PDB file of all heavy atoms in Angstrom:
ATOM      1  N   THR A   1      20.577   3.348   0.876  1.00 84.00           N
ATOM      2  CA  THR A   1      19.799   2.171   1.278  1.00 84.00           C
ATOM      3  C   THR A   1      18.694   2.512   2.260  1.00 84.00           C
ATOM      4  O   THR A   1      17.576   1.994   2.173  1.00 84.00           O
ATOM      5  CB  THR A   1      20.728   1.112   1.907  1.00 84.00           C
ATOM      6  OG1 THR A   1      21.736   0.756   0.954  1.00 84.00           O
ATOM      7  CG2 THR A   1      19.951  -0.134   2.300  1.00 84.00           C
ATOM      8  N   LYS A   2      18.989   3.401   3.202  1.00 86.00           N
ATOM      9  CA  LYS A   2      17.978   3.793   4.178  1.00 86.00           C
ATOM     10  C   LYS A   2      16.763   4.407   3.505  1.00 86.00           C
ATOM     11  O   LYS A   2      15.613   4.106   3.861  1.00 86.00           O
ATOM     12  CB  LYS A   2      18.591   4.775   5.183  1.00 86.00           C
ATOM     13  CG  LYS A   2      17.630   5.198   6.290  1.00 86.00           C
ATOM     14  CD  LYS A   2      18.299   6.157   7.274  1.00 86.00           C
ATOM     15  CE  LYS A   2      17.327   6.590   8.363  1.00 86.00           C
ATOM     16  NZ  LYS A   2      17.969   7.532   9.321  1.00 86.00           N
ATOM     17  N   THR A   3      17.018   5.267   2.526  1.00 85.00           N
ATOM     18  CA  THR A   3      15.915   5.902   1.802  1.00 85.00           C
ATOM     19  C   THR A   3      15.147   4.884   0.971  1.00 85.00           C
ATOM     20  O   THR A   3      13.916   4.933   0.887  1.00 85.00           O
ATOM     21  CB  THR A   3      16.441   7.030   0.904  1.00 85.00           C
ATOM     22  OG1 THR A   3      17.142   7.991   1.707  1.00 85.00           O
ATOM     23  CG2 THR A   3      15.297   7.728   0.179  1.00 85.00           C
ATOM     24  N   LEU A   4      15.873   3.949   0.348  1.00 87.00           N
ATOM     25  CA  LEU A   4      15.219   2.908  -0.443  1.00 87.00           C
ATOM     26  C   LEU A   4      14.275   2.073   0.428  1.00 87.00           C
ATOM     27  O   LEU A   4      13.143   1.793   0.022  1.00 87.00           O
ATOM     28  CB  LEU A   4      16.269   1.996  -1.085  1.00 87.00           C
ATOM     29  CG  LEU A   4      17.096   2.592  -2.223  1.00 87.00           C
ATOM     30  CD1 LEU A   4      18.180   1.611  -2.653  1.00 87.00           C
ATOM     31  CD2 LEU A   4      16.214   2.949  -3.411  1.00 87.00           C
ATOM     32  N   ILE A   5      14.758   1.690   1.611  1.00 87.00           N
ATOM     33  CA  ILE A   5      13.919   0.916   2.515  1.00 87.00           C
ATOM     34  C   ILE A   5      12.701   1.728   2.940  1.00 87.00           C
ATOM     35  O   ILE A   5      11.577   1.222   2.974  1.00 87.00           O
ATOM     36  CB  ILE A   5      14.727   0.472   3.752  1.00 87.00           C
ATOM     37  CG1 ILE A   5      15.811  -0.523   3.340  1.00 87.00           C
ATOM     38  CG2 ILE A   5      13.802  -0.149   4.801  1.00 87.00           C
ATOM     39  CD1 ILE A   5      16.758  -0.896   4.465  1.00 87.00           C
ATOM     40  N   SER A   6      12.934   3.010   3.231  1.00 84.00           N
ATOM     41  CA  SER A   6      11.836   3.891   3.636  1.00 84.00           C
ATOM     42  C   SER A   6      10.791   4.009   2.529  1.00 84.00           C
ATOM     43  O   SER A   6       9.582   3.926   2.786  1.00 84.00           O
ATOM     44  CB  SER A   6      12.378   5.279   3.987  1.00 84.00           C
ATOM     45  OG  SER A   6      11.326   6.170   4.274  1.00 84.00           O
ATOM     46  N   ILE A   7      11.261   4.173   1.287  1.00 81.00           N
ATOM     47  CA  ILE A   7      10.341   4.303   0.157  1.00 81.00           C
ATOM     48  C   ILE A   7       9.565   3.006  -0.056  1.00 81.00           C
ATOM     49  O   ILE A   7       8.345   3.014  -0.257  1.00 81.00           O
ATOM     50  CB  ILE A   7      11.105   4.683  -1.124  1.00 81.00           C
ATOM     51  CG1 ILE A   7      11.634   6.120  -1.021  1.00 81.00           C
ATOM     52  CG2 ILE A   7      10.204   4.554  -2.356  1.00 81.00           C
ATOM     53  CD1 ILE A   7      12.529   6.517  -2.176  1.00 81.00           C
ATOM     54  N   ALA A   8      10.264   1.858   0.012  1.00 86.00           N
ATOM     55  CA  ALA A   8       9.610   0.568  -0.215  1.00 86.00           C
ATOM     56  C   ALA A   8       8.571   0.271   0.862  1.00 86.00           C
ATOM     57  O   ALA A   8       7.447  -0.150   0.558  1.00 86.00           O
ATOM     58  CB  ALA A   8      10.657  -0.544  -0.265  1.00 86.00           C
ATOM     59  N   VAL A   9       8.957   0.498   2.120  1.00 87.00           N
ATOM     60  CA  VAL A   9       8.033   0.220   3.227  1.00 87.00           C
ATOM     61  C   VAL A   9       6.823   1.147   3.172  1.00 87.00           C
ATOM     62  O   VAL A   9       5.678   0.707   3.315  1.00 87.00           O
ATOM     63  CB  VAL A   9       8.754   0.347   4.587  1.00 87.00           C
ATOM     64  CG1 VAL A   9       7.749   0.284   5.736  1.00 87.00           C
ATOM     65  CG2 VAL A   9       9.790  -0.758   4.738  1.00 87.00           C
ATOM     66  N   SER A  10       7.082   2.426   2.950  1.00 81.00           N
ATOM     67  CA  SER A  10       5.970   3.376   2.894  1.00 81.00           C
ATOM     68  C   SER A  10       5.073   3.084   1.699  1.00 81.00           C
ATOM     69  O   SER A  10       3.846   3.211   1.785  1.00 81.00           O
ATOM     70  CB  SER A  10       6.492   4.815   2.833  1.00 81.00           C
ATOM     71  OG  SER A  10       7.270   5.046   1.677  1.00 81.00           O
ATOM     72  N   SER A  11       5.699   2.669   0.585  1.00 79.00           N
ATOM     73  CA  SER A  11       4.904   2.310  -0.590  1.00 79.00           C
ATOM     74  C   SER A  11       3.990   1.135  -0.269  1.00 79.00           C
ATOM     75  O   SER A  11       2.804   1.124  -0.640  1.00 79.00           O
ATOM     76  CB  SER A  11       5.809   1.953  -1.769  1.00 79.00           C
ATOM     77  OG  SER A  11       6.537   3.072  -2.202  1.00 79.00           O
ATOM     78  N   TYR A  12       4.521   0.136   0.441  1.00 88.00           N
ATOM     79  CA  TYR A  12       3.696  -1.033   0.753  1.00 88.00           C
ATOM     80  C   TYR A  12       2.604  -0.694   1.756  1.00 88.00           C
ATOM     81  O   TYR A  12       1.495  -1.235   1.666  1.00 88.00           O
ATOM     82  CB  TYR A  12       4.541  -2.187   1.274  1.00 88.00           C
ATOM     83  CG  TYR A  12       3.731  -3.451   1.423  1.00 88.00           C
ATOM     84  CD1 TYR A  12       3.038  -3.978   0.330  1.00 88.00           C
ATOM     85  CD2 TYR A  12       3.606  -4.094   2.654  1.00 88.00           C
ATOM     86  CE1 TYR A  12       2.264  -5.114   0.454  1.00 88.00           C
ATOM     87  CE2 TYR A  12       2.834  -5.233   2.784  1.00 88.00           C
ATOM     88  CZ  TYR A  12       2.163  -5.746   1.679  1.00 88.00           C
ATOM     89  OH  TYR A  12       1.383  -6.867   1.800  1.00 88.00           O
ATOM     90  N   VAL A  13       2.918   0.190   2.690  1.00 85.00           N
ATOM     91  CA  VAL A  13       1.872   0.635   3.624  1.00 85.00           C
ATOM     92  C   VAL A  13       0.727   1.284   2.845  1.00 85.00           C
ATOM     93  O   VAL A  13      -0.460   1.009   3.097  1.00 85.00           O
ATOM     94  CB  VAL A  13       2.439   1.624   4.661  1.00 85.00           C
ATOM     95  CG1 VAL A  13       1.308   2.271   5.470  1.00 85.00           C
ATOM     96  CG2 VAL A  13       3.402   0.910   5.608  1.00 85.00           C
ATOM     97  N   ILE A  14       1.092   2.119   1.884  1.00 82.00           N
ATOM     98  CA  ILE A  14       0.075   2.743   1.029  1.00 82.00           C
ATOM     99  C   ILE A  14      -0.676   1.674   0.249  1.00 82.00           C
ATOM    100  O   ILE A  14      -1.904   1.714   0.119  1.00 82.00           O
ATOM    101  CB  ILE A  14       0.720   3.751   0.066  1.00 82.00           C
ATOM    102  CG1 ILE A  14       1.277   4.943   0.834  1.00 82.00           C
ATOM    103  CG2 ILE A  14      -0.294   4.223  -0.984  1.00 82.00           C
ATOM    104  CD1 ILE A  14       0.238   5.763   1.561  1.00 82.00           C
ATOM    105  N   PHE A  15       0.054   0.674  -0.271  1.00 84.00           N
ATOM    106  CA  PHE A  15      -0.586  -0.389  -1.039  1.00 84.00           C
ATOM    107  C   PHE A  15      -1.541  -1.217  -0.175  1.00 84.00           C
ATOM    108  O   PHE A  15      -2.572  -1.687  -0.668  1.00 84.00           O
ATOM    109  CB  PHE A  15       0.468  -1.302  -1.665  1.00 84.00           C
ATOM    110  CG  PHE A  15       1.184  -0.693  -2.839  1.00 84.00           C
ATOM    111  CD1 PHE A  15       2.534  -0.954  -3.060  1.00 84.00           C
ATOM    112  CD2 PHE A  15       0.519   0.129  -3.737  1.00 84.00           C
ATOM    113  CE1 PHE A  15       3.195  -0.397  -4.142  1.00 84.00           C
ATOM    114  CE2 PHE A  15       1.171   0.688  -4.817  1.00 84.00           C
ATOM    115  CZ  PHE A  15       2.516   0.432  -5.037  1.00 84.00           C
ATOM    116  N   ILE A  16      -1.202  -1.418   1.093  1.00 91.00           N
ATOM    117  CA  ILE A  16      -2.106  -2.133   1.993  1.00 91.00           C
ATOM    118  C   ILE A  16      -3.427  -1.363   2.108  1.00 91.00           C
ATOM    119  O   ILE A  16      -4.517  -1.934   1.993  1.00 91.00           O
ATOM    120  CB  ILE A  16      -1.477  -2.321   3.382  1.00 91.00           C
ATOM    121  CG1 ILE A  16      -0.314  -3.319   3.317  1.00 91.00           C
ATOM    122  CG2 ILE A  16      -2.525  -2.814   4.390  1.00 91.00           C
ATOM    123  CD1 ILE A  16       0.453  -3.440   4.615  1.00 91.00           C
ATOM    124  N   VAL A  17      -3.301  -0.054   2.314  1.00 89.00           N
ATOM    125  CA  VAL A  17      -4.495   0.795   2.438  1.00 89.00           C
ATOM    126  C   VAL A  17      -5.297   0.788   1.145  1.00 89.00           C
ATOM    127  O   VAL A  17      -6.524   0.608   1.158  1.00 89.00           O
ATOM    128  CB  VAL A  17      -4.096   2.236   2.819  1.00 89.00           C
ATOM    129  CG1 VAL A  17      -5.326   3.148   2.813  1.00 89.00           C
ATOM    130  CG2 VAL A  17      -3.418   2.271   4.182  1.00 89.00           C
ATOM    131  N   THR A  18      -4.600   0.964   0.014  1.00 89.00           N
ATOM    132  CA  THR A  18      -5.311   1.017  -1.272  1.00 89.00           C
ATOM    133  C   THR A  18      -5.943  -0.326  -1.607  1.00 89.00           C
ATOM    134  O   THR A  18      -7.024  -0.376  -2.196  1.00 89.00           O
ATOM    135  CB  THR A  18      -4.360   1.438  -2.408  1.00 89.00           C
ATOM    136  OG1 THR A  18      -3.237   0.531  -2.475  1.00 89.00           O
ATOM    137  CG2 THR A  18      -3.866   2.853  -2.206  1.00 89.00           C
ATOM    138  N   SER A  19      -5.281  -1.419  -1.232  1.00 90.00           N
ATOM    139  CA  SER A  19      -5.817  -2.750  -1.518  1.00 90.00           C
ATOM    140  C   SER A  19      -7.086  -3.016  -0.709  1.00 90.00           C
ATOM    141  O   SER A  19      -8.078  -3.538  -1.230  1.00 90.00           O
ATOM    142  CB  SER A  19      -4.771  -3.822  -1.205  1.00 90.00           C
ATOM    143  OG  SER A  19      -3.640  -3.680  -2.035  1.00 90.00           O
ATOM    144  N   LEU A  20      -7.045  -2.672   0.572  1.00 92.00           N
ATOM    145  CA  LEU A  20      -8.229  -2.879   1.413  1.00 92.00           C
ATOM    146  C   LEU A  20      -9.361  -1.939   1.010  1.00 92.00           C
ATOM    147  O   LEU A  20     -10.538  -2.314   1.051  1.00 92.00           O
ATOM    148  CB  LEU A  20      -7.864  -2.675   2.884  1.00 92.00           C
ATOM    149  CG  LEU A  20      -6.851  -3.676   3.467  1.00 92.00           C
ATOM    150  CD1 LEU A  20      -6.515  -3.304   4.910  1.00 92.00           C
ATOM    151  CD2 LEU A  20      -7.388  -5.101   3.399  1.00 92.00           C
ATOM    152  N   THR A  21      -8.993  -0.728   0.615  1.00 94.00           N
ATOM    153  CA  THR A  21     -10.007   0.257   0.226  1.00 94.00           C
ATOM    154  C   THR A  21     -10.715  -0.123  -1.058  1.00 94.00           C
ATOM    155  O   THR A  21     -11.887   0.240  -1.258  1.00 94.00           O
ATOM    156  CB  THR A  21      -9.361   1.648   0.065  1.00 94.00           C
ATOM    157  OG1 THR A  21      -8.672   1.997   1.263  1.00 94.00           O
ATOM    158  CG2 THR A  21     -10.408   2.711  -0.233  1.00 94.00           C
ATOM    159  N   ASP A  22     -10.036  -0.861  -1.945  1.00 94.00           N
ATOM    160  CA  ASP A  22     -10.670  -1.165  -3.233  1.00 94.00           C
ATOM    161  C   ASP A  22     -11.718  -2.280  -3.128  1.00 94.00           C
ATOM    162  O   ASP A  22     -12.447  -2.539  -4.086  1.00 94.00           O
ATOM    163  CB  ASP A  22      -9.621  -1.488  -4.312  1.00 94.00           C
ATOM    164  CG  ASP A  22      -9.056  -2.911  -4.240  1.00 94.00           C
ATOM    165  OD1 ASP A  22      -9.521  -3.722  -3.433  1.00 94.00           O
ATOM    166  OD2 ASP A  22      -8.130  -3.198  -5.021  1.00 94.00           O
ATOM    167  N   THR A  23     -11.822  -2.934  -1.957  1.00 95.00           N
ATOM    168  CA  THR A  23     -12.760  -4.046  -1.805  1.00 95.00           C
ATOM    169  C   THR A  23     -14.211  -3.656  -2.100  1.00 95.00           C
ATOM    170  O   THR A  23     -14.881  -4.323  -2.895  1.00 95.00           O
ATOM    171  CB  THR A  23     -12.639  -4.669  -0.396  1.00 95.00           C
ATOM    172  OG1 THR A  23     -11.298  -5.104  -0.187  1.00 95.00           O
ATOM    173  CG2 THR A  23     -13.587  -5.856  -0.253  1.00 95.00           C
ATOM    174  N   PRO A  24     -14.737  -2.579  -1.497  1.00 96.00           N
ATOM    175  CA  PRO A  24     -16.124  -2.214  -1.845  1.00 96.00           C
ATOM    176  C   PRO A  24     -16.285  -1.819  -3.310  1.00 96.00           C
ATOM    177  O   PRO A  24     -17.368  -1.991  -3.881  1.00 96.00           O
ATOM    178  CB  PRO A  24     -16.418  -1.027  -0.921  1.00 96.00           C
ATOM    179  CG  PRO A  24     -15.098  -0.517  -0.466  1.00 96.00           C
ATOM    180  CD  PRO A  24     -14.199  -1.705  -0.432  1.00 96.00           C
ATOM    181  N   PHE A  25     -15.208  -1.336  -3.915  1.00 97.00           N
ATOM    182  CA  PHE A  25     -15.298  -0.941  -5.318  1.00 97.00           C
ATOM    183  C   PHE A  25     -15.405  -2.155  -6.243  1.00 97.00           C
ATOM    184  O   PHE A  25     -16.101  -2.103  -7.260  1.00 97.00           O
ATOM    185  CB  PHE A  25     -14.093  -0.075  -5.702  1.00 97.00           C
ATOM    186  CG  PHE A  25     -14.125   1.300  -5.113  1.00 97.00           C
ATOM    187  CD1 PHE A  25     -13.569   1.554  -3.867  1.00 97.00           C
ATOM    188  CD2 PHE A  25     -14.738   2.354  -5.783  1.00 97.00           C
ATOM    189  CE1 PHE A  25     -13.606   2.824  -3.312  1.00 97.00           C
ATOM    190  CE2 PHE A  25     -14.788   3.625  -5.237  1.00 97.00           C
ATOM    191  CZ  PHE A  25     -14.216   3.861  -3.993  1.00 97.00           C
ATOM    192  N   ILE A  26     -14.732  -3.248  -5.904  1.00 96.00           N
ATOM    193  CA  ILE A  26     -14.854  -4.431  -6.755  1.00 96.00           C
ATOM    194  C   ILE A  26     -16.218  -5.094  -6.561  1.00 96.00           C
ATOM    195  O   ILE A  26     -16.801  -5.641  -7.508  1.00 96.00           O
ATOM    196  CB  ILE A  26     -13.700  -5.434  -6.518  1.00 96.00           C
ATOM    197  CG1 ILE A  26     -13.682  -6.462  -7.644  1.00 96.00           C
ATOM    198  CG2 ILE A  26     -13.808  -6.105  -5.166  1.00 96.00           C
ATOM    199  CD1 ILE A  26     -12.461  -7.335  -7.675  1.00 96.00           C
ATOM    200  N   TYR A  27     -16.774  -5.002  -5.344  1.00 97.00           N
ATOM    201  CA  TYR A  27     -18.146  -5.480  -5.149  1.00 97.00           C
ATOM    202  C   TYR A  27     -19.120  -4.636  -5.972  1.00 97.00           C
ATOM    203  O   TYR A  27     -20.055  -5.164  -6.584  1.00 97.00           O
ATOM    204  CB  TYR A  27     -18.526  -5.432  -3.666  1.00 97.00           C
ATOM    205  CG  TYR A  27     -18.128  -6.665  -2.893  1.00 97.00           C
ATOM    206  CD1 TYR A  27     -16.918  -6.711  -2.199  1.00 97.00           C
ATOM    207  CD2 TYR A  27     -18.950  -7.789  -2.847  1.00 97.00           C
ATOM    208  CE1 TYR A  27     -16.542  -7.850  -1.480  1.00 97.00           C
ATOM    209  CE2 TYR A  27     -18.597  -8.924  -2.132  1.00 97.00           C
ATOM    210  CZ  TYR A  27     -17.382  -8.949  -1.455  1.00 97.00           C
ATOM    211  OH  TYR A  27     -17.018 -10.073  -0.757  1.00 97.00           O
TER     212      TYR A  27
END
């Protein structure tokens, strides 16, 4: 469970970065 939480949280942190980064690309 600890690893699952770590993977999920880290994945979402990456997704936050990738989501914000894609903004100039959609413009």
Side-chain angles (χ1 to χ4, degrees):
T1 302
K2 183 179 179 180
T3 302
L4 289 174
I5 293 173
S6 175
I7 291 174
V9 171
S10 62
S11 294
Y12 188 56
V13 170
I14 293 297
F15 286 144
I16 290 174
V17 174
T18 57
S19 297
L20 296 177
T21 305
D22 79 6
T23 302
F25 288 89
I26 194 169
Y27 274 94

